[in-house]
Amino acid sequence: MVISENSGFNTRAIHAGQAFEPRTGAVVPPLHFSSTYAQDGIGGLREGYEYGRSANPTRDALQEQLAALEGGSHAFSFSSGLAAEDALIKALMRPGDHIVLGNDAYGGTYRLINGVLGDWGIGNTAVDMADLDTVRAAVAAGGTNGGSTRFVWVETPSNPMMKVTDIAALAEVAHDAGALLVVDNTFASPYLQTPLALGADIIIHSTTKYIGGHSDVVGGAVVVNDAELATKVGFVQFAVGAISGPMDAFLTTRGLKTLGVRMDRHSDNAMAVAQWLEGRSEVEAVHYPGLPSHPSHELAKKQMKKFGGMISVQFKGGAAAARKVAESTSVFTLAESLGGIESLMNYPSEMTHASVKGTELAVPENLIRLSCGIEDVADLIADLEHAFAAIGSAS
């Protein structure tokens, strides 16, 4: 069977970049650990391989798989999501350039852009991405030093407030100003959302999350559909060297093969949990795009296949109630990260988003973030029921 862009998602996930090994017929391609490759004379490379930083067959297979699933022409795999972001910015921006990003961006992204690359001369403005007029004005204004906006950078759904942004409309705003639209597709994954098809120029992933899917590998990716962009990102990947190692690439590839079936279960579980949360008197607000109460529910229905496994919930009892629930579960594990097969609980204000405390990106202190795994949903709800009871016993 010839795998093409017309093949179904799960078919591409299983077969793209995964041709059987011709010598033995092994259906799983071998894991290549070699750091260097024998050459047939000076400059005589075999299949283009010379050194592990420049290329590795296992990493190449993952990159082919990622590109196929996102509908891109090129994908690049990195040692972490932040390494992917750093490489992208260094490949396409220069001191004086400016980024417009969401005002509830992931804390690590903001720390990189503002705290690290700010000293390098990259400016940024954080705005509400749902307000296209505000985005348009920020893009036009550029940086405080007069630099022009190079990137419009959006997470959709966002972390942790679960805001959903109209990718096609935002792409138009960016392109009208000569900027590029970067979409962090980590929460949705390519199974639920394909930003390149909606007009985005660049996709960013923390492959640690849903793509890897088993909480056993750290990685990141950049996916593009433009040869010039690919050349620039590929050069930085090679020149700086924050690549994914062979075992990391292998584990990520293995995770990708089951992404579709896992995302169906993550989404179904999260929907049931979100509906249960909405009926609780202890809850002030549930942020989940699958709920009709979500302000962008109709948009999410339009640009997403399902609504994903992430939920954020705010408590009427304030920070004390949120912290009590976060520390009272047993099926939900209190931990950083998300997107694994196991359910995780996070208190962003003191954990994933501690780096933005005191800024306009600060996360409400009465909020917890749930990453709904693929366990039996009745057990997830029973676990939350037990944790909610702890609020009453503490009051």
Side-chain angles (χ1 to χ4, degrees):
M1 177 180 180
V2 177
I3 305 303
S4 71
E5 61 183 15
N6 296 320
S7 301
F9 181 91
N10 291 308
T11 302
R12 283 177 283 139
I14 292 168
H15 293 287
Q18 300 298 301
F20 68 85
E21 196 275 314
R23 186 177 68 86
T24 65
V27 297
V28 176
L31 174 54
H32 292 268
F33 281 113
S34 185
S35 62
T36 192
Y37 303 86
Q39 300 183 23
D40 295 325
I42 297 173
L45 307 183
R46 302 185 185 189
E47 303 294 330
Y49 293 104
E50 59 177 339
Y51 185 60
R53 173 167 43 81
S54 59
N56 170 278
T58 306
R59 188 168 78 245
D60 286 352
L62 169 60
Q63 292 176 160
E64 182 177 343
Q65 198 180 17
L66 287 165
L69 295 183
E70 283 287 13
S73 59
H74 298 80
F76 303 90
S77 179
F78 293 88
S79 56
S80 71
L82 286 171
E85 294 180 358
D86 183 61
L88 173 64
I89 293 170
K90 288 177 177 174
L92 300 177
M93 300 186 74
R94 293 296 176 265
D97 287 346
H98 177 246
I99 298 174
V100 174
L101 74 159
N103 63 359
D104 69 332
Y106 165 54
T109 297
Y110 183 74
R111 181 176 55 226
L112 171 66
I113 292 173
N114 189 68
V116 177
L117 296 175
D119 291 339
W120 192 56
I122 298 296
N124 74 84
T125 303
V127 300
D128 180 357
M129 285 291 174
D131 187 338
L132 294 180
D133 288 337
T134 299
V135 175
R136 191 175 289 108
V139 171
T144 55
N145 59 358
S148 60
T149 299
R150 180 65 170 153
F151 286 162
V152 176
W153 189 299
V154 64
E155 301 169 8
T156 181
S158 67
N159 179 10
M161 298 307 297
M162 302 303 296
K163 294 180 181 178
V164 175
T165 301
D166 189 329
I167 295 173
L170 202 61
E172 185 176 344
V173 170
H175 296 160
D176 284 348
L180 299 173
L181 177 60
V182 179
V183 176
D184 186 329
N185 204 30
T186 298
F187 269 28
S189 86
Y191 181 68
L192 300 182
Q193 182 172 267
T194 51
L196 293 179
L198 296 171
D201 301 287
I202 301 162
I203 294 172
I204 286 282
H205 278 287
S206 170
T207 57
T208 309
K209 312 305 192 296
Y210 286 108
I211 284 177
H214 293 77
S215 301
D216 57 7
V217 59
V218 175
V222 175
V223 185
V224 298
N225 206 14
D226 178 271
E228 183 180 354
L229 294 180
T231 297
K232 292 178 178 179
V233 175
F235 173 76
V236 172
Q237 184 195 45
F238 165 71
V240 177
I243 56 170
S244 54
M247 179 58 81
D248 292 340
F250 175 82
L251 289 172
T252 305
T253 284
R254 187 189 63 174
L256 262 177
K257 292 178 180 180
T258 61
L259 178 62
V261 294
R262 285 187 288 105
M263 291 309 298
D264 280 336
R265 182 61 172 261
H266 285 300
S267 297
D268 292 348
N269 278 0
M271 177 66 83
V273 170
Q275 291 171 337
W276 179 86
L277 287 167
E278 260 202 328
R280 297 294 300 202
S281 61
E282 303 94 335
V283 170
E284 177 182 292
V286 181
H287 305 282
Y288 184 67
L291 295 174
S293 59
H294 190 283
S296 298
H297 175 64
E298 292 302 318
L299 172 61
K301 285 169 60 177
K302 178 181 176 182
Q303 71 181 24
M304 298 177 71
K305 182 176 180 178
K306 287 188 175 181
F307 305 105
M310 301 302 301
I311 307 169
S312 286
V313 55
Q314 292 178 260
F315 291 89
K316 294 176 181 176
R323 295 175 72 105
K324 188 66 177 176
V325 169
E327 294 175 340
S328 299
T329 56
S330 55
V331 180
F332 281 90
T333 300
L334 181 63
E336 303 270 357
S337 199
L338 58 101
I341 54 174
E342 66 288 303
S343 293
L344 300 178
M345 176 85 69
N346 177 269
Y347 183 62
S349 180
E350 298 289 346
M351 296 174 70
T352 54
H353 290 67
S355 61
V356 296
K357 289 193 73 169
T359 76
E360 61 185 301
L361 282 76
V363 175
E365 293 186 354
N366 69 335
L367 180 141
I368 59 173
R369 190 189 71 188
L370 309 179
S371 174
C372 294
I374 63 172
E375 302 95 339
D376 291 306
V377 70
D379 293 325
L380 299 183
I381 291 174
D383 191 41
L384 291 172
E385 183 106 48
H386 170 79
F388 275 47
I391 300 177
S393 64
S395 60

